[in-house]
Amino acid sequence: MSAISPTVAVPPFRGRIGDDPRSGYYAAPHRYRLHLSPACPRCLQIAVTHSLLGLGDVLPVTRLPAVPDTPDGGHRALRRLYEASAHLHPGPALAPVLHDNWTGTVVSTHAPDIVRDLALRFGGRGPCLLPRDTDEAFAAVERLCEQGVDATAQRAGLYGGDRAERDLALATLLRALDVLELRLASRDHVLGDELTLADVRVWVTLVQLDTVHRHHLDASAVHRITEHPRLWAYARRLTAHPAFGPHLDLDGIARRHHAHCRGTEAAGAAVPIMDWQAYVRRRTPGPTPEAAPEPTRRTG
């Protein structure tokens, strides 16, 4: 079995930020802090959204190591936050985390809720990333990315599995990419002419497809994936955007993948789809988030 990434349990914290001060959690400058590891796709989605909204001055970010540093796959730096929120929390202390400085508790560890709340509750000064009447369309794009690309890419790369099942998964993956290619035939972005949360989700999905899932596919499958010129030109364009590319930790993604991967590398590993770093270099990163120290590595 090709376990490309660790199994993630249902998030234990699903608080939401409301727009009414009388609710438990409401948007206020400097009240919250994000704890993110951009090598994690869920965290990368939040980090890009945070930058697009220009929230660096009102909602600080602590950057976590690329590879979780506890035996259960969690982050040591997050353990005290989890335990302050749920006494003797039994599971791993996973990122992302949206933490409330006022109450000392974790609000949410659920990335889809966090990105929506950033856009809806903190996005008043920035671009409208979730326009009115697009929530359903955004949810459809999320499903397409999660079920049509992420999940099928993993099944298509399973080593030693049933060949017919792998072929079916690859066909499903290619159909999902066809849908995205068709969407971009008549518009600049996935939901229209303006950049939205849907574009952030698709970009993170394409990053994972090339930097993680590709390593478990054969060369023929990777070549078929590249046969979506509009989609990959769109990925290059977004990577050159100052809110996207600077968050791309290619070395961290590789280390995280190798730390968790249980599968066998296939011929597709030698066929990179895109030179991501070439487009990142064209931009100067914005303010660097406060970083948590990398764990000390033992030798010998």
Side-chain angles (χ1 to χ4, degrees):
M1 180 175 179
S2 172
I4 294 177
S5 60
T7 301
V8 177
V10 175
F13 302 102
R14 290 287 301 270
R16 301 299 301 270
I17 297 178
D19 58 0
D20 186 343
R22 292 171 296 182
S23 67
Y25 298 117
Y26 61 91
H30 311 294
R31 175 173 180 174
Y32 304 98
R33 175 176 287 272
L34 287 164
H35 298 260
L36 305 175
S37 173
C40 159
R42 297 176 303 280
C43 293
L44 180 58
Q45 185 181 359
I46 295 170
V48 172
T49 302
H50 181 271
S51 288
L52 284 170
L53 294 170
L55 298 179
D57 291 336
V58 298
L59 180 55
V61 175
T62 293
R63 182 167 178 155
L64 299 166
V67 181
D69 54 359
T70 62
D72 61 2
H75 288 276
R76 197 178 312 279
L78 297 178
R79 173 53 57 183
R80 61 180 180 82
L81 303 183
Y82 270 71
E83 291 183 349
S85 307
H87 183 58
L88 298 179
H89 174 73
L94 302 174
V97 163
L98 175 64
H99 181 253
D100 180 11
N101 296 321
W102 292 3
T103 63
T105 58
V106 172
V107 178
S108 180
T109 57
H110 186 59
D113 289 349
I114 293 173
V115 294
R116 283 181 173 86
D117 286 351
L118 293 184
L120 293 174
R121 308 308 178 196
F122 286 93
R125 299 183 304 168
C128 183
L129 297 182
L130 193 60
R132 187 182 302 273
D133 300 326
T134 63
D135 195 69
E136 185 174 333
F138 171 52
V141 170
E142 282 194 307
R143 288 193 299 272
L144 181 70
C145 290
E146 182 177 349
Q147 300 171 16
V149 180
D150 295 335
T152 56
Q154 291 205 41
R155 292 200 300 272
L158 287 176
Y159 176 75
D162 183 80
R163 181 56 186 261
E165 291 182 3
R166 296 202 308 271
D167 289 346
L168 176 61
L170 177 61
T172 303
L173 166 62
L174 293 172
R175 283 197 298 272
L177 297 180
D178 289 343
V179 170
L180 294 171
E181 179 80 4
L182 183 61
R183 279 179 172 269
L184 294 168
S186 58
R187 63 191 82 183
D188 290 335
H189 297 91
V190 174
L191 297 186
D193 293 328
E194 301 298 327
L195 196 152
T196 68
L197 287 181
D199 298 292
V200 180
R201 182 65 172 92
V202 171
W203 182 77
V204 171
T205 296
L206 295 176
V207 169
Q208 284 292 108
L209 181 58
D210 190 13
T211 62
V212 174
H213 301 308
R214 170 178 58 82
H215 292 267
H216 300 273
L217 299 171
D218 62 38
S220 174
V222 175
H223 281 302
R224 295 176 70 184
I225 289 170
T226 66
E227 294 171 353
H228 297 83
R230 295 188 188 92
L231 184 58
W232 293 105
Y234 160 86
R236 291 191 291 271
R237 177 160 49 90
L238 291 183
T239 304
H241 190 293
F244 286 75
H247 291 294
L248 194 53
D249 181 5
L250 296 172
D251 176 67
I253 291 172
R255 288 188 289 113
R256 182 183 180 90
H257 171 55
H258 291 308
H260 296 297
C261 179
R262 299 295 180 270
T264 301
E265 193 170 87
V271 190
I273 297 172
M274 194 175 116
D275 183 356
W276 299 90
Q277 192 62 47
Y279 294 89
V280 175
R281 291 194 191 107
R282 296 180 181 182
R283 296 297 183 192
T284 300
T288 302
E290 177 185 333
E294 288 279 357
T296 301
R297 303 183 184 281
R298 296 186 178 182
T299 58

